[in-house]
PDB file of all heavy atoms in Angstrom:
ATOM      1  N   GLU N   1      18.075   2.233  -3.536  1.00 94.00           N
ATOM      2  CA  GLU N   1      19.392   2.727  -3.932  1.00 94.00           C
ATOM      3  C   GLU N   1      20.495   2.101  -3.086  1.00 94.00           C
ATOM      4  O   GLU N   1      21.529   1.667  -3.611  1.00 94.00           O
ATOM      5  CB  GLU N   1      19.438   4.252  -3.815  1.00 94.00           C
ATOM      6  CG  GLU N   1      20.756   4.856  -4.274  1.00 94.00           C
ATOM      7  CD  GLU N   1      20.757   6.375  -4.244  1.00 94.00           C
ATOM      8  OE1 GLU N   1      19.715   6.967  -3.887  1.00 94.00           O
ATOM      9  OE2 GLU N   1      21.811   6.970  -4.554  1.00 94.00           O
ATOM     10  N   ARG N   2      20.281   2.042  -1.768  1.00 93.00           N
ATOM     11  CA  ARG N   2      21.309   1.493  -0.870  1.00 93.00           C
ATOM     12  C   ARG N   2      21.540   0.004  -1.100  1.00 93.00           C
ATOM     13  O   ARG N   2      22.655  -0.498  -0.946  1.00 93.00           O
ATOM     14  CB  ARG N   2      20.888   1.727   0.579  1.00 93.00           C
ATOM     15  CG  ARG N   2      21.202   3.123   1.085  1.00 93.00           C
ATOM     16  CD  ARG N   2      22.692   3.292   1.271  1.00 93.00           C
ATOM     17  NE  ARG N   2      23.049   4.685   1.572  1.00 93.00           N
ATOM     18  CZ  ARG N   2      24.279   5.131   1.607  1.00 93.00           C
ATOM     19  NH1 ARG N   2      25.285   4.321   1.338  1.00 93.00           N
ATOM     20  NH2 ARG N   2      24.538   6.387   1.885  1.00 93.00           N
ATOM     21  N   LEU N   3      20.463  -0.724  -1.440  1.00 94.00           N
ATOM     22  CA  LEU N   3      20.587  -2.172  -1.616  1.00 94.00           C
ATOM     23  C   LEU N   3      20.830  -2.550  -3.072  1.00 94.00           C
ATOM     24  O   LEU N   3      20.828  -3.734  -3.412  1.00 94.00           O
ATOM     25  CB  LEU N   3      19.320  -2.863  -1.108  1.00 94.00           C
ATOM     26  CG  LEU N   3      18.976  -2.656   0.365  1.00 94.00           C
ATOM     27  CD1 LEU N   3      17.803  -3.535   0.768  1.00 94.00           C
ATOM     28  CD2 LEU N   3      20.171  -2.926   1.266  1.00 94.00           C
ATOM     29  N   SER N   4      21.022  -1.540  -3.918  1.00 92.00           N
ATOM     30  CA  SER N   4      21.288  -1.766  -5.342  1.00 92.00           C
ATOM     31  C   SER N   4      20.168  -2.534  -6.025  1.00 92.00           C
ATOM     32  O   SER N   4      20.404  -3.370  -6.917  1.00 92.00           O
ATOM     33  CB  SER N   4      22.619  -2.519  -5.533  1.00 92.00           C
ATOM     34  OG  SER N   4      23.696  -1.765  -5.014  1.00 92.00           O
ATOM     35  N   LEU N   5      18.941  -2.282  -5.596  1.00 92.00           N
ATOM     36  CA  LEU N   5      17.782  -2.837  -6.278  1.00 92.00           C
ATOM     37  C   LEU N   5      17.430  -1.923  -7.450  1.00 92.00           C
ATOM     38  O   LEU N   5      17.789  -0.742  -7.447  1.00 92.00           O
ATOM     39  CB  LEU N   5      16.598  -2.928  -5.316  1.00 92.00           C
ATOM     40  CG  LEU N   5      16.761  -3.901  -4.143  1.00 92.00           C
ATOM     41  CD1 LEU N   5      15.632  -3.731  -3.137  1.00 92.00           C
ATOM     42  CD2 LEU N   5      16.817  -5.333  -4.642  1.00 92.00           C
ATOM     43  N   PRO N   6      16.749  -2.430  -8.459  1.00 87.00           N
ATOM     44  CA  PRO N   6      16.353  -1.564  -9.571  1.00 87.00           C
ATOM     45  C   PRO N   6      15.606  -0.338  -9.062  1.00 87.00           C
ATOM     46  O   PRO N   6      14.858  -0.408  -8.086  1.00 87.00           O
ATOM     47  CB  PRO N   6      15.432  -2.471 -10.404  1.00 87.00           C
ATOM     48  CG  PRO N   6      15.895  -3.853 -10.095  1.00 87.00           C
ATOM     49  CD  PRO N   6      16.314  -3.824  -8.651  1.00 87.00           C
ATOM     50  N   VAL N   7      15.818   0.779  -9.715  1.00 79.00           N
ATOM     51  CA  VAL N   7      15.246   2.048  -9.250  1.00 79.00           C
ATOM     52  C   VAL N   7      13.743   1.955  -9.055  1.00 79.00           C
ATOM     53  O   VAL N   7      13.185   2.470  -8.082  1.00 79.00           O
ATOM     54  CB  VAL N   7      15.578   3.175 -10.258  1.00 79.00           C
ATOM     55  CG1 VAL N   7      14.896   4.477  -9.839  1.00 79.00           C
ATOM     56  CG2 VAL N   7      17.084   3.376 -10.348  1.00 79.00           C
ATOM     57  N   HIS N   8      13.055   1.271  -9.965  1.00 79.00           N
ATOM     58  CA  HIS N   8      11.606   1.193  -9.896  1.00 79.00           C
ATOM     59  C   HIS N   8      11.136  -0.169  -9.378  1.00 79.00           C
ATOM     60  O   HIS N   8      10.044  -0.624  -9.716  1.00 79.00           O
ATOM     61  CB  HIS N   8      10.990   1.477 -11.267  1.00 79.00           C
ATOM     62  CG  HIS N   8      11.311   2.846 -11.786  1.00 79.00           C
ATOM     63  ND1 HIS N   8      11.104   3.986 -11.031  1.00 79.00           N
ATOM     64  CD2 HIS N   8      11.833   3.259 -12.962  1.00 79.00           C
ATOM     65  CE1 HIS N   8      11.483   5.045 -11.739  1.00 79.00           C
ATOM     66  NE2 HIS N   8      11.932   4.634 -12.909  1.00 79.00           N
ATOM     67  N   HIS N   9      11.992  -0.823  -8.584  1.00 89.00           N
ATOM     68  CA  HIS N   9      11.581  -2.095  -8.004  1.00 89.00           C
ATOM     69  C   HIS N   9      10.330  -1.910  -7.150  1.00 89.00           C
ATOM     70  O   HIS N   9      10.219  -0.969  -6.366  1.00 89.00           O
ATOM     71  CB  HIS N   9      12.704  -2.668  -7.133  1.00 89.00           C
ATOM     72  CG  HIS N   9      12.301  -3.894  -6.377  1.00 89.00           C
ATOM     73  ND1 HIS N   9      11.847  -3.851  -5.079  1.00 89.00           N
ATOM     74  CD2 HIS N   9      12.244  -5.186  -6.749  1.00 89.00           C
ATOM     75  CE1 HIS N   9      11.556  -5.076  -4.680  1.00 89.00           C
ATOM     76  NE2 HIS N   9      11.790  -5.897  -5.667  1.00 89.00           N
ATOM     77  N   ARG N  10       9.380  -2.829  -7.286  1.00 92.00           N
ATOM     78  CA  ARG N  10       8.119  -2.714  -6.565  1.00 92.00           C
ATOM     79  C   ARG N  10       8.095  -3.685  -5.390  1.00 92.00           C
ATOM     80  O   ARG N  10       8.236  -4.894  -5.566  1.00 92.00           O
ATOM     81  CB  ARG N  10       6.941  -2.992  -7.499  1.00 92.00           C
ATOM     82  CG  ARG N  10       6.905  -2.047  -8.686  1.00 92.00           C
ATOM     83  CD  ARG N  10       5.723  -2.309  -9.577  1.00 92.00           C
ATOM     84  NE  ARG N  10       4.484  -1.981  -8.896  1.00 92.00           N
ATOM     85  CZ  ARG N  10       3.343  -1.724  -9.539  1.00 92.00           C
ATOM     86  NH1 ARG N  10       3.305  -1.739 -10.841  1.00 92.00           N
ATOM     87  NH2 ARG N  10       2.250  -1.443  -8.871  1.00 92.00           N
ATOM     88  N   TRP N  11       7.929  -3.154  -4.199  1.00 97.00           N
ATOM     89  CA  TRP N  11       7.766  -3.968  -3.002  1.00 97.00           C
ATOM     90  C   TRP N  11       6.308  -4.417  -2.912  1.00 97.00           C
ATOM     91  O   TRP N  11       5.422  -3.828  -3.540  1.00 97.00           O
ATOM     92  CB  TRP N  11       8.154  -3.167  -1.757  1.00 97.00           C
ATOM     93  CG  TRP N  11       9.620  -2.879  -1.675  1.00 97.00           C
ATOM     94  CD1 TRP N  11      10.377  -2.162  -2.561  1.00 97.00           C
ATOM     95  CD2 TRP N  11      10.514  -3.307  -0.650  1.00 97.00           C
ATOM     96  NE1 TRP N  11      11.686  -2.111  -2.157  1.00 97.00           N
ATOM     97  CE2 TRP N  11      11.808  -2.799  -0.978  1.00 97.00           C
ATOM     98  CE3 TRP N  11      10.369  -4.039   0.510  1.00 97.00           C
ATOM     99  CZ2 TRP N  11      12.919  -3.032  -0.183  1.00 97.00           C
ATOM    100  CZ3 TRP N  11      11.476  -4.275   1.315  1.00 97.00           C
ATOM    101  CH2 TRP N  11      12.733  -3.774   0.960  1.00 97.00           C
ATOM    102  N   VAL N  12       6.074  -5.462  -2.106  1.00 97.00           N
ATOM    103  CA  VAL N  12       4.729  -6.016  -1.964  1.00 97.00           C
ATOM    104  C   VAL N  12       4.204  -5.652  -0.571  1.00 97.00           C
ATOM    105  O   VAL N  12       4.689  -6.177   0.433  1.00 97.00           O
ATOM    106  CB  VAL N  12       4.737  -7.553  -2.141  1.00 97.00           C
ATOM    107  CG1 VAL N  12       3.323  -8.112  -2.036  1.00 97.00           C
ATOM    108  CG2 VAL N  12       5.356  -7.929  -3.488  1.00 97.00           C
ATOM    109  N   LEU N  13       3.254  -4.735  -0.516  1.00 97.00           N
ATOM    110  CA  LEU N  13       2.672  -4.310   0.755  1.00 97.00           C
ATOM    111  C   LEU N  13       1.398  -5.095   0.998  1.00 97.00           C
ATOM    112  O   LEU N  13       0.429  -4.986   0.238  1.00 97.00           O
ATOM    113  CB  LEU N  13       2.366  -2.814   0.741  1.00 97.00           C
ATOM    114  CG  LEU N  13       1.701  -2.261   2.005  1.00 97.00           C
ATOM    115  CD1 LEU N  13       2.611  -2.446   3.218  1.00 97.00           C
ATOM    116  CD2 LEU N  13       1.326  -0.798   1.830  1.00 97.00           C
ATOM    117  N   CYS N  14       1.382  -5.908   2.063  1.00 96.00           N
ATOM    118  CA  CYS N  14       0.262  -6.804   2.362  1.00 96.00           C
ATOM    119  C   CYS N  14      -0.564  -6.221   3.506  1.00 96.00           C
ATOM    120  O   CYS N  14      -0.122  -6.200   4.665  1.00 96.00           O
ATOM    121  CB  CYS N  14       0.783  -8.181   2.744  1.00 96.00           C
ATOM    122  SG  CYS N  14       1.839  -8.935   1.468  1.00 96.00           S
ATOM    123  N   LEU N  15      -1.766  -5.746   3.207  1.00 95.00           N
ATOM    124  CA  LEU N  15      -2.666  -5.148   4.197  1.00 95.00           C
ATOM    125  C   LEU N  15      -3.758  -6.150   4.534  1.00 95.00           C
ATOM    126  O   LEU N  15      -4.572  -6.513   3.675  1.00 95.00           O
ATOM    127  CB  LEU N  15      -3.274  -3.851   3.653  1.00 95.00           C
ATOM    128  CG  LEU N  15      -2.285  -2.755   3.241  1.00 95.00           C
ATOM    129  CD1 LEU N  15      -3.025  -1.564   2.651  1.00 95.00           C
ATOM    130  CD2 LEU N  15      -1.437  -2.322   4.434  1.00 95.00           C
ATOM    131  N   ASP N  16      -3.796  -6.575   5.784  1.00 91.00           N
ATOM    132  CA  ASP N  16      -4.718  -7.629   6.211  1.00 91.00           C
ATOM    133  C   ASP N  16      -5.896  -7.049   6.991  1.00 91.00           C
ATOM    134  O   ASP N  16      -5.749  -6.083   7.735  1.00 91.00           O
ATOM    135  CB  ASP N  16      -3.954  -8.637   7.087  1.00 91.00           C
ATOM    136  CG  ASP N  16      -4.753  -9.908   7.334  1.00 91.00           C
ATOM    137  OD1 ASP N  16      -5.479 -10.342   6.420  1.00 91.00           O
ATOM    138  OD2 ASP N  16      -4.641 -10.465   8.437  1.00 91.00           O
ATOM    139  N   GLU N  17      -7.071  -7.655   6.813  1.00 86.00           N
ATOM    140  CA  GLU N  17      -8.278  -7.330   7.584  1.00 86.00           C
ATOM    141  C   GLU N  17      -8.851  -5.947   7.246  1.00 86.00           C
ATOM    142  O   GLU N  17      -9.102  -5.124   8.119  1.00 86.00           O
ATOM    143  CB  GLU N  17      -8.020  -7.441   9.094  1.00 86.00           C
ATOM    144  CG  GLU N  17      -7.678  -8.850   9.529  1.00 86.00           C
ATOM    145  CD  GLU N  17      -7.519  -8.960  11.044  1.00 86.00           C
ATOM    146  OE1 GLU N  17      -7.099  -7.969  11.670  1.00 86.00           O
ATOM    147  OE2 GLU N  17      -7.817 -10.036  11.584  1.00 86.00           O
ATOM    148  N   LEU N  18      -9.098  -5.722   5.997  1.00 87.00           N
ATOM    149  CA  LEU N  18      -9.669  -4.449   5.565  1.00 87.00           C
ATOM    150  C   LEU N  18     -11.079  -4.241   6.118  1.00 87.00           C
ATOM    151  O   LEU N  18     -11.528  -3.111   6.284  1.00 87.00           O
ATOM    152  CB  LEU N  18      -9.707  -4.401   4.038  1.00 87.00           C
ATOM    153  CG  LEU N  18      -9.962  -3.043   3.392  1.00 87.00           C
ATOM    154  CD1 LEU N  18      -8.717  -2.181   3.500  1.00 87.00           C
ATOM    155  CD2 LEU N  18     -10.361  -3.190   1.923  1.00 87.00           C
ATOM    156  N   GLU N  19     -11.777  -5.347   6.440  1.00 84.00           N
ATOM    157  CA  GLU N  19     -13.189  -5.245   6.831  1.00 84.00           C
ATOM    158  C   GLU N  19     -13.407  -4.506   8.146  1.00 84.00           C
ATOM    159  O   GLU N  19     -14.520  -4.054   8.432  1.00 84.00           O
ATOM    160  CB  GLU N  19     -13.827  -6.629   6.926  1.00 84.00           C
ATOM    161  CG  GLU N  19     -13.288  -7.527   8.034  1.00 84.00           C
ATOM    162  CD  GLU N  19     -12.073  -8.331   7.602  1.00 84.00           C
ATOM    163  OE1 GLU N  19     -11.618  -8.158   6.454  1.00 84.00           O
ATOM    164  OE2 GLU N  19     -11.577  -9.122   8.419  1.00 84.00           O
ATOM    165  N   ASP N  20     -12.365  -4.357   8.966  1.00 79.00           N
ATOM    166  CA  ASP N  20     -12.527  -3.693  10.258  1.00 79.00           C
ATOM    167  C   ASP N  20     -12.431  -2.176  10.171  1.00 79.00           C
ATOM    168  O   ASP N  20     -12.622  -1.490  11.174  1.00 79.00           O
ATOM    169  CB  ASP N  20     -11.468  -4.201  11.249  1.00 79.00           C
ATOM    170  CG  ASP N  20     -11.766  -5.620  11.725  1.00 79.00           C
ATOM    171  OD1 ASP N  20     -12.953  -6.001  11.719  1.00 79.00           O
ATOM    172  OD2 ASP N  20     -10.822  -6.333  12.076  1.00 79.00           O
ATOM    173  N   LEU N  21     -12.125  -1.654   9.005  1.00 84.00           N
ATOM    174  CA  LEU N  21     -11.925  -0.212   8.892  1.00 84.00           C
ATOM    175  C   LEU N  21     -13.244   0.546   8.816  1.00 84.00           C
ATOM    176  O   LEU N  21     -14.249   0.044   8.309  1.00 84.00           O
ATOM    177  CB  LEU N  21     -11.089   0.112   7.646  1.00 84.00           C
ATOM    178  CG  LEU N  21      -9.667  -0.427   7.600  1.00 84.00           C
ATOM    179  CD1 LEU N  21      -8.948   0.118   6.388  1.00 84.00           C
ATOM    180  CD2 LEU N  21      -8.903  -0.085   8.866  1.00 84.00           C
ATOM    181  N   HIS N  22     -13.189   1.783   9.309  1.00 82.00           N
ATOM    182  CA  HIS N  22     -14.303   2.713   9.189  1.00 82.00           C
ATOM    183  C   HIS N  22     -14.397   3.170   7.737  1.00 82.00           C
ATOM    184  O   HIS N  22     -13.384   3.203   7.022  1.00 82.00           O
ATOM    185  CB  HIS N  22     -14.055   3.901  10.127  1.00 82.00           C
ATOM    186  CG  HIS N  22     -15.164   4.890  10.186  1.00 82.00           C
ATOM    187  ND1 HIS N  22     -15.270   5.919   9.277  1.00 82.00           N
ATOM    188  CD2 HIS N  22     -16.218   5.014  11.027  1.00 82.00           C
ATOM    189  CE1 HIS N  22     -16.345   6.644   9.567  1.00 82.00           C
ATOM    190  NE2 HIS N  22     -16.936   6.111  10.616  1.00 82.00           N
ATOM    191  N   PRO N  23     -15.593   3.543   7.232  1.00 83.00           N
ATOM    192  CA  PRO N  23     -15.711   3.989   5.833  1.00 83.00           C
ATOM    193  C   PRO N  23     -14.719   5.077   5.447  1.00 83.00           C
ATOM    194  O   PRO N  23     -14.181   5.066   4.324  1.00 83.00           O
ATOM    195  CB  PRO N  23     -17.154   4.492   5.759  1.00 83.00           C
ATOM    196  CG  PRO N  23     -17.887   3.640   6.742  1.00 83.00           C
ATOM    197  CD  PRO N  23     -16.913   3.418   7.873  1.00 83.00           C
ATOM    198  N   GLY N  24     -14.447   6.017   6.337  1.00 85.00           N
ATOM    199  CA  GLY N  24     -13.487   7.066   6.016  1.00 85.00           C
ATOM    200  C   GLY N  24     -12.081   6.518   5.853  1.00 85.00           C
ATOM    201  O   GLY N  24     -11.327   6.937   4.964  1.00 85.00           O
ATOM    202  N   GLN N  25     -11.709   5.563   6.717  1.00 87.00           N
ATOM    203  CA  GLN N  25     -10.398   4.929   6.612  1.00 87.00           C
ATOM    204  C   GLN N  25     -10.306   4.085   5.348  1.00 87.00           C
ATOM    205  O   GLN N  25      -9.283   4.064   4.658  1.00 87.00           O
ATOM    206  CB  GLN N  25     -10.150   4.071   7.850  1.00 87.00           C
ATOM    207  CG  GLN N  25     -10.144   4.868   9.150  1.00 87.00           C
ATOM    208  CD  GLN N  25     -10.129   3.972  10.370  1.00 87.00           C
ATOM    209  OE1 GLN N  25     -10.498   2.799  10.306  1.00 87.00           O
ATOM    210  NE2 GLN N  25      -9.723   4.524  11.502  1.00 87.00           N
ATOM    211  N   LEU N  26     -11.396   3.390   5.057  1.00 87.00           N
ATOM    212  CA  LEU N  26     -11.455   2.569   3.852  1.00 87.00           C
ATOM    213  C   LEU N  26     -11.275   3.433   2.606  1.00 87.00           C
ATOM    214  O   LEU N  26     -10.579   3.054   1.660  1.00 87.00           O
ATOM    215  CB  LEU N  26     -12.804   1.848   3.803  1.00 87.00           C
ATOM    216  CG  LEU N  26     -12.993   0.760   2.762  1.00 87.00           C
ATOM    217  CD1 LEU N  26     -11.995  -0.359   2.962  1.00 87.00           C
ATOM    218  CD2 LEU N  26     -14.419   0.226   2.807  1.00 87.00           C
ATOM    219  N   LYS N  27     -11.885   4.607   2.623  1.00 88.00           N
ATOM    220  CA  LYS N  27     -11.756   5.530   1.498  1.00 88.00           C
ATOM    221  C   LYS N  27     -10.293   5.925   1.285  1.00 88.00           C
ATOM    222  O   LYS N  27      -9.821   6.011   0.147  1.00 88.00           O
ATOM    223  CB  LYS N  27     -12.610   6.773   1.744  1.00 88.00           C
ATOM    224  CG  LYS N  27     -12.545   7.817   0.647  1.00 88.00           C
ATOM    225  CD  LYS N  27     -13.461   8.987   0.956  1.00 88.00           C
ATOM    226  CE  LYS N  27     -13.379  10.066  -0.122  1.00 88.00           C
ATOM    227  NZ  LYS N  27     -14.281  11.209   0.164  1.00 88.00           N
ATOM    228  N   GLU N  28      -9.567   6.153   2.378  1.00 89.00           N
ATOM    229  CA  GLU N  28      -8.154   6.511   2.267  1.00 89.00           C
ATOM    230  C   GLU N  28      -7.348   5.377   1.614  1.00 89.00           C
ATOM    231  O   GLU N  28      -6.531   5.618   0.724  1.00 89.00           O
ATOM    232  CB  GLU N  28      -7.582   6.810   3.658  1.00 89.00           C
ATOM    233  CG  GLU N  28      -8.103   8.077   4.308  1.00 89.00           C
ATOM    234  CD  GLU N  28      -7.229   9.280   3.997  1.00 89.00           C
ATOM    235  OE1 GLU N  28      -6.036   9.090   3.716  1.00 89.00           O
ATOM    236  OE2 GLU N  28      -7.748  10.401   4.028  1.00 89.00           O
ATOM    237  N   ILE N  29      -7.581   4.156   2.054  1.00 90.00           N
ATOM    238  CA  ILE N  29      -6.857   3.009   1.506  1.00 90.00           C
ATOM    239  C   ILE N  29      -7.168   2.836   0.019  1.00 90.00           C
ATOM    240  O   ILE N  29      -6.277   2.653  -0.816  1.00 90.00           O
ATOM    241  CB  ILE N  29      -7.226   1.722   2.262  1.00 90.00           C
ATOM    242  CG1 ILE N  29      -6.706   1.776   3.698  1.00 90.00           C
ATOM    243  CG2 ILE N  29      -6.669   0.494   1.538  1.00 90.00           C
ATOM    244  CD1 ILE N  29      -5.230   1.592   3.840  1.00 90.00           C
ATOM    245  N   LEU N  30      -8.441   2.895  -0.330  1.00 88.00           N
ATOM    246  CA  LEU N  30      -8.835   2.653  -1.710  1.00 88.00           C
ATOM    247  C   LEU N  30      -8.400   3.774  -2.634  1.00 88.00           C
ATOM    248  O   LEU N  30      -8.181   3.566  -3.829  1.00 88.00           O
ATOM    249  CB  LEU N  30     -10.352   2.453  -1.782  1.00 88.00           C
ATOM    250  CG  LEU N  30     -10.858   1.202  -1.064  1.00 88.00           C
ATOM    251  CD1 LEU N  30     -12.373   1.115  -1.125  1.00 88.00           C
ATOM    252  CD2 LEU N  30     -10.235  -0.057  -1.642  1.00 88.00           C
ATOM    253  N   THR N  31      -8.255   4.978  -2.091  1.00 88.00           N
ATOM    254  CA  THR N  31      -7.726   6.076  -2.901  1.00 88.00           C
ATOM    255  C   THR N  31      -6.278   5.797  -3.285  1.00 88.00           C
ATOM    256  O   THR N  31      -5.869   6.029  -4.427  1.00 88.00           O
ATOM    257  CB  THR N  31      -7.834   7.411  -2.137  1.00 88.00           C
ATOM    258  OG1 THR N  31      -9.212   7.703  -1.876  1.00 88.00           O
ATOM    259  CG2 THR N  31      -7.243   8.551  -2.945  1.00 88.00           C
ATOM    260  N   VAL N  32      -5.496   5.290  -2.324  1.00 89.00           N
ATOM    261  CA  VAL N  32      -4.115   4.906  -2.629  1.00 89.00           C
ATOM    262  C   VAL N  32      -4.110   3.785  -3.666  1.00 89.00           C
ATOM    263  O   VAL N  32      -3.289   3.765  -4.592  1.00 89.00           O
ATOM    264  CB  VAL N  32      -3.378   4.468  -1.350  1.00 89.00           C
ATOM    265  CG1 VAL N  32      -2.007   3.897  -1.680  1.00 89.00           C
ATOM    266  CG2 VAL N  32      -3.239   5.638  -0.388  1.00 89.00           C
ATOM    267  N   LEU N  33      -5.041   2.855  -3.514  1.00 86.00           N
ATOM    268  CA  LEU N  33      -5.124   1.731  -4.440  1.00 86.00           C
ATOM    269  C   LEU N  33      -5.417   2.209  -5.862  1.00 86.00           C
ATOM    270  O   LEU N  33      -4.915   1.656  -6.842  1.00 86.00           O
ATOM    271  CB  LEU N  33      -6.223   0.776  -3.981  1.00 86.00           C
ATOM    272  CG  LEU N  33      -6.192  -0.646  -4.537  1.00 86.00           C
ATOM    273  CD1 LEU N  33      -5.007  -1.390  -3.951  1.00 86.00           C
ATOM    274  CD2 LEU N  33      -7.488  -1.369  -4.214  1.00 86.00           C
ATOM    275  N   ARG N  34      -6.227   3.239  -5.970  1.00 83.00           N
ATOM    276  CA  ARG N  34      -6.600   3.775  -7.282  1.00 83.00           C
ATOM    277  C   ARG N  34      -5.484   4.602  -7.906  1.00 83.00           C
ATOM    278  O   ARG N  34      -5.447   4.786  -9.119  1.00 83.00           O
ATOM    279  CB  ARG N  34      -7.842   4.675  -7.136  1.00 83.00           C
ATOM    280  CG  ARG N  34      -9.136   3.946  -6.776  1.00 83.00           C
ATOM    281  CD  ARG N  34      -9.629   3.116  -7.935  1.00 83.00           C
ATOM    282  NE  ARG N  34      -9.637   3.897  -9.173  1.00 83.00           N
ATOM    283  CZ  ARG N  34     -10.639   4.709  -9.531  1.00 83.00           C
ATOM    284  NH1 ARG N  34     -11.693   4.856  -8.750  1.00 83.00           N
ATOM    285  NH2 ARG N  34     -10.578   5.367 -10.658  1.00 83.00           N
ATOM    286  N   ALA N  35      -4.593   5.112  -7.077  1.00 81.00           N
ATOM    287  CA  ALA N  35      -3.540   5.990  -7.583  1.00 81.00           C
ATOM    288  C   ALA N  35      -2.432   5.173  -8.243  1.00 81.00           C
ATOM    289  O   ALA N  35      -2.379   3.948  -8.144  1.00 81.00           O
ATOM    290  CB  ALA N  35      -2.975   6.836  -6.446  1.00 81.00           C
TER     291      ALA N  35
END
């Protein structure tokens, strides 16, 4: 809103090195990915 970007503009979130996560942490990330 402040930068006058489209309301539903999608930013690109780059998460690096997923392989180091614990299974529980991985589950949290992948749940967001599925949503």
Side-chain angles (χ1 to χ4, degrees):
E1 183 176 359
R2 278 289 172 189
L3 300 187
S4 299
L5 295 170
V7 176
H8 299 309
H9 173 265
R10 301 181 67 159
W11 291 61
V12 182
L13 178 62
C14 303
L15 302 177
D16 192 36
E17 296 184 329
L18 194 74
E19 66 273 2
D20 287 334
L21 297 187
H22 184 274
Q25 299 170 339
L26 190 61
K27 179 178 178 179
E28 291 268 335
I29 293 286
L30 295 177
T31 298
V32 173
L33 198 70
R34 291 290 312 276

